[in-house]
Amino acid sequence: MTSLNLYTSTTGGGKRDIMRAFGDGAKLHDVEVNDIDRHQYVKSNFAMIFAYKSEGTDTPNHKFREEVVKKHNDNIFFVDSNVLKSYENDIRYFRFPKCSIHPHEANYMIDGDKSRNNQVIKDMNIEIKPWRTEGKHICLFLNRGIGGFSTFGKPCYEWAKETVEEIRKYSDRPILIRSHKHAGTSPQLAEDKKNLDYILSNYKDITHTELGKTNIHDDLKNAWACVVHTSTSGTVALLEGIPMFATHKACFSYQWSAGKLSEIENPIMKDRTNFITYYANSHWNLDEVRKGLLWSKYVS
């Protein structure tokens, strides 16, 4: 009998319910599901953890996530956030990648199925807006601090400094830097923030805001382009018709990146026809997951 271990000990609160919904769906396919609420590895065919180990974090929770990943290789599922979370209303969507938490390595079982496209568009109230050909400023949307599992060792303000320096070789447009709302301060983050101080002191037409202080859609109003490292906020820009430049292939929407920063004044407007299919095949609501629709996609 196929077995699936849900390591609910890798998170807490309502996030565990997301994992259990995945387990409920697997049970409908005669899978033996075990809820492991302790930091103890138990052998099984498949495993699920919440998110992944953040760089620079060695708490027992994060170290255990890493242990489970190493022991399961490709037969592991993760829970990740909705890249279009800012559009959510009553129905929440999540990603459940297999093999890896990183989009460029993950298996979302994307097969071109368009049967859920209209449902997802309705639930999320989204549309692909025409490419914008006018605009004033350039948005820089930063990753979280110096940690997280999506920074790939690049501190956010160091990335911002390098990116501003590169952009200024090709454009003098105003730049809006939007920081992630950091969970807490640390000596490493304080040191990295000196890069932000340098930017604001040495470059003209730079403004800075933080997540929670402004709305992402307001920041994108009249934007010419948006630049991200791997931040999912780049997908919002893409949907809004704003050319998006991603500097790392782990960005969820990297395949629609508008080119190199040297092309920021002449962005490549790629065909987004298949974006909704790509999004719908990688995002699922909990009702669908509980009904086993996602599990059937993985095992079919």
Side-chain angles (χ1 to χ4, degrees):
M1 186 176 187
T2 301
S3 57
L4 165 67
N5 286 348
L6 305 175
Y7 289 97
T8 53
S9 60
T10 57
T11 189
K15 295 177 181 178
R16 293 186 173 192
D17 294 334
I18 303 171
M19 301 176 71
R20 288 167 178 151
F22 186 85
D24 290 342
K27 289 177 184 177
L28 296 178
H29 294 274
D30 297 320
V31 176
E32 178 188 349
V33 179
N34 303 296
D35 190 324
I36 311 296
D37 63 355
R38 60 194 181 280
H39 289 165
Q40 180 181 352
Y41 175 78
V42 180
K43 189 175 181 180
S44 61
N45 298 112
F46 296 94
M48 169 175 269
I49 64 172
F50 193 90
Y52 186 46
K53 180 184 182 299
S54 295
E55 295 181 17
T57 302
D58 290 315
T59 64
N61 197 359
H62 283 252
K63 291 174 70 175
F64 184 61
R65 292 179 185 179
E66 186 175 42
E67 177 187 349
V68 177
V69 170
K70 288 180 178 179
K71 290 181 176 179
H72 268 276
N73 297 316
D74 290 348
N75 291 328
I76 186 166
F77 299 94
F78 302 82
V79 180
D80 205 355
S81 62
N82 182 358
V83 300
L84 295 178
K85 189 175 182 179
S86 64
Y87 295 89
E88 282 183 342
N89 291 307
D90 298 328
I91 301 176
R92 297 187 65 191
Y93 277 78
F94 301 89
R95 284 177 284 166
F96 298 89
K98 183 174 178 285
C99 307
S100 174
I101 193 74
H102 303 300
H104 66 306
E105 300 171 342
N107 183 353
Y108 290 114
M109 302 303 291
I110 295 174
D111 55 10
D113 179 12
K114 299 181 180 180
S115 63
R116 295 172 55 252
N117 284 17
N118 289 336
Q119 170 202 318
V120 169
I121 290 171
K122 180 180 178 181
D123 287 348
M124 294 290 295
N125 190 29
I126 56 177
E127 64 174 317
I128 299 178
K129 296 182 180 179
W131 282 121
R132 185 177 298 178
T133 56
E134 296 181 352
K136 183 179 179 182
H137 65 282
I138 297 169
C139 291
L140 260 63
F141 291 158
L142 276 53
N143 282 78
R144 182 198 302 269
I146 62 170
F149 51 77
S150 59
T151 60
F152 295 91
K154 176 62 67 173
C156 66
Y157 296 116
E158 178 182 315
W159 174 84
K161 179 176 179 290
E162 293 173 356
T163 303
V164 168
E165 289 174 344
E166 185 68 11
I167 289 174
R168 279 292 178 256
K169 296 177 183 178
Y170 311 104
S171 176
D172 58 2
R173 292 178 185 272
I175 296 175
L176 185 156
I177 299 175
R178 178 183 173 89
S179 294
H180 196 285
K181 186 177 181 181
H182 308 301
T185 59
S186 68
Q188 295 88 347
L189 182 60
E191 183 66 24
D192 182 40
K193 206 165 186 178
K194 292 179 181 179
N195 287 302
L196 176 62
D197 297 335
Y198 178 88
I199 295 169
L200 297 176
S201 298
N202 290 275
Y203 289 94
K204 296 180 180 179
D205 295 324
I206 306 285
T207 56
H208 173 246
T209 186
E210 293 183 5
L211 181 67
K213 292 186 176 181
T214 60
N215 183 289
I216 186 173
H217 296 280
D218 289 335
D219 289 345
L220 287 170
K221 286 179 180 177
N222 199 35
W224 168 257
C226 174
V227 185
V228 299
H229 185 46
T230 63
S231 175
T232 57
S233 57
T235 309
V236 178
L238 185 77
L239 201 67
E240 293 294 320
I242 300 165
M244 185 277 302
F245 293 79
T247 63
H248 196 288
K249 59 185 178 180
C251 176
F252 179 83
S253 48
Y254 182 79
Q255 61 182 292
W256 289 280
S257 181
K260 298 179 180 179
L261 292 179
S262 58
E263 300 168 296
I264 199 156
E265 286 297 328
N266 295 284
I268 302 170
M269 309 292 197
K270 295 182 179 178
D271 183 3
R272 295 168 294 161
T273 303
N274 294 324
F275 172 77
I276 294 297
T277 301
Y278 176 73
Y279 173 82
N281 276 261
S282 55
H283 287 75
W284 300 77
N285 66 55
L286 293 189
D287 185 53
E288 294 173 321
V289 174
R290 288 192 186 95
K291 290 178 179 178
L293 300 182
L294 179 55
W295 186 267
S296 66
K297 192 177 182 70
Y298 278 118
V299 299
S300 60

